[in-house]
Every structure is written in structure tokens, then in C-alpha cells.
Amino acid sequence: AQSVSQHNHHVILSEAASLELGCNYSYGGTVNLFWYVQYPGQHLQLLLKYFSGDPLVKGIKGFEAEFIKSKFSFNLRKPSVQWSDTAEYFCAVNVGSGTYKYIFGTGTRLKVLA
Amino acid sequence: NAGVTQTPKFQVLKTGQSMTLQCAQDMNHNSMYWYRQDPGMGLRLIYYSASEGTTDKGEVPNGYNVSRLNKREFSLRLESAAPSQTSVYFCASRRETGYNEQFFGPGTRLTVL
């Protein structure tokens, strides 16, 4: 079955620490890949996306993600987190690239300590 | 440009009551979605609509109905609410060009007692 796995459910970091959140998906065809962020009490907002081309994509607020096709992974990174990055992060896959179907991971709650 | 709007923001129902969650988008998107978000389970698709006049079941459609009233509006109805439907409900629309990303509404927090 198609699925998206986020292995880190809760992450606690101090400010200025580096962040890497894992995302793996199971689907053998073409995909579009997304990371969404949900700040406390708010709706999901797009952080970054991968469609094609350079597998290293940069998003807003200093976030980046790398698509490794051979590993079916799309990990999110940030070199130095801030307290304001405290949020829940969701990886999502558009299965079949352009179809209706999006599969979301279960989310990772990040808490950044000031 | 409001994006995706949802009403109400909060709702408390008793078991067996009915209600309709409203969603509207002003981005001229064809595709619209309803998700529920539960702790530890991410977002699960309830129904989606590829275009005006069409709707299809998603992963967890039982207990829900939808109406795609026009291109802008996509409503979700609970005919007889159950405690298992306590959740946060998000509506989304999808851009069909470029990256096909989804745009989400602010959500409706529903509690069924």
C-alpha cells in the first residue's frame, strides 16, 4: 500500500541546533513531494516542494529538503533552528504527480527551547 | 484574496446531531478536498471533488456526505454525529498548474459528546 513514514514523532531541540526530519514514501512511480508546517492553532502552510530537477530544494524560513530517489526519501533540514520554528511538520506525497491523490505522513512535532 | 475559508471554527455536538461544515475558495481551483486530522494519524482524506459536480470517496468516508455546490464551495455534512468524529477538519483546494500544491483552510475543531 502507498504510505508516507515520518519516523520522528517528537523532536526537542535547543535554539541554534541543526534539524533533520526524516520522510520516506512507498510508491514506485512519479511523485511530487511537499513539506507543510502547522504552527500552533493555525492551518497547514506550504514550506517547500519538489517537482523535478535539482533534488535539493530550498523553501521559506531557511528550510531545505533533499530528494533521494533511490532511497524514496525527502528529508527536511535546517542548519540552525529558532524558537519560532516550534510547530508540527508534515511530509506529503502527490502520488502519480498531478493526480488527485495526496498521502500525508503522521507528522513530527518540533519543540525548540529558547 | 482570502484563499480557503471555513466555517465554523469550533463546534460542539451531541451524539446523533447533524451539521454541515462549509468551505469556500477564491482561487478558481477545480479540485477541493476534505481531510480530518487526528493526533498521531496525520491527515486522512474524507472526500474530494475533482471539479464542480463530481465527488469521490477518500480513505475515511463513512459517516460523511459532501456537496460541491459550485466551483467555489464544497461542504461536508455529518448526518448523525458520533464521538469517533471528534476531530479537526480541514478543507483544501489544489492548484492544477505548476507544483500542484494544496492550499488549506484554517480548520474546524469539532467535538462530539
Side-chain angles (χ1 to χ4, degrees):
Chain A
Q2 297 153 356
S3 65
V4 175
S5 297
Q6 291 182 243
H7 305 294
N8 314 101
H9 298 295
H10 291 90
V11 174
I12 301 174
L13 294 172
S14 299
E15 274 195 314
S18 63
L19 171 72
E20 180 160 4
L21 301 182
C23 173
N24 288 89
Y25 65 93
S26 61
Y27 180 71
T30 306
V31 295
N32 290 348
L33 300 161
F34 306 87
W35 275 97
Y36 285 88
V37 61
Q38 185 178 30
Y39 297 104
Q42 297 188 25
H43 61 285
L44 278 78
Q45 303 169 43
L46 184 65
L47 200 54
L48 48 75
K49 58 211 178 233
Y50 172 79
F51 189 70
S52 64
D54 188 345
L56 184 62
V57 292
K58 294 190 184 301
I60 60 172
K61 304 185 180 184
F63 286 90
E64 64 179 32
E66 184 175 14
F67 172 49
I68 303 179
K69 190 174 182 180
S70 61
K71 295 185 178 180
F72 299 92
S73 70
F74 189 55
N75 291 354
L76 180 71
R77 299 195 292 248
K78 186 171 184 179
S80 177
V81 295
Q82 300 174 312
W83 177 81
S84 58
D85 293 324
T86 294
E88 190 161 15
Y89 294 81
F90 292 93
C91 180
V93 177
N94 179 210
V95 172
S97 186
T99 69
Y100 81 91
K101 193 169 185 178
Y102 294 76
I103 303 172
F104 284 80
T106 54
T108 297
R109 283 188 186 273
L110 171 67
K111 184 170 185 175
V112 180
L113 304 174
Chain B
N1 199 354
V4 180
T5 57
Q6 290 182 238
T7 55
K9 285 190 167 53
F10 301 94
Q11 184 71 48
V12 178
L13 294 177
K14 294 180 180 178
T15 297
Q17 287 185 316
S18 63
M19 79 161 294
T20 299
L21 282 65
Q22 306 287 354
C23 172
Q25 53 95 7
D26 61 2
M27 295 174 282
N28 203 36
H29 293 163
N30 286 315
S31 304
M32 296 185 74
Y33 301 74
W34 275 105
Y35 292 93
R36 58 178 290 173
Q37 182 185 27
D38 301 292
M41 303 191 77
L43 274 74
R44 292 182 292 167
L45 181 64
I46 305 171
Y47 272 92
Y48 77 100
S49 170
S51 62
E52 183 180 350
T54 68
T55 61
D56 282 284
K57 294 178 181 179
E59 183 184 354
V60 288
N62 291 345
Y64 305 95
N65 285 301
V66 290
S67 295
R68 184 73 184 269
L69 306 168
N70 48 54
K71 192 171 187 178
R72 289 188 65 249
E73 297 171 291
F74 188 38
S75 62
L76 178 72
R77 182 161 179 83
L78 286 71
E79 290 291 352
S80 178
S84 60
Q85 293 178 304
T86 293
S87 187
V88 181
Y89 291 85
F90 287 100
C91 177
S93 68
R94 183 181 80 132
R95 183 163 70 176
E96 286 90 11
T97 58
Y99 290 94
N100 304 122
E101 68 263 40
Q102 292 181 308
F103 296 83
F104 287 84
T108 295
R109 187 173 292 275
L110 174 66
T111 301
V112 183
L113 303 174

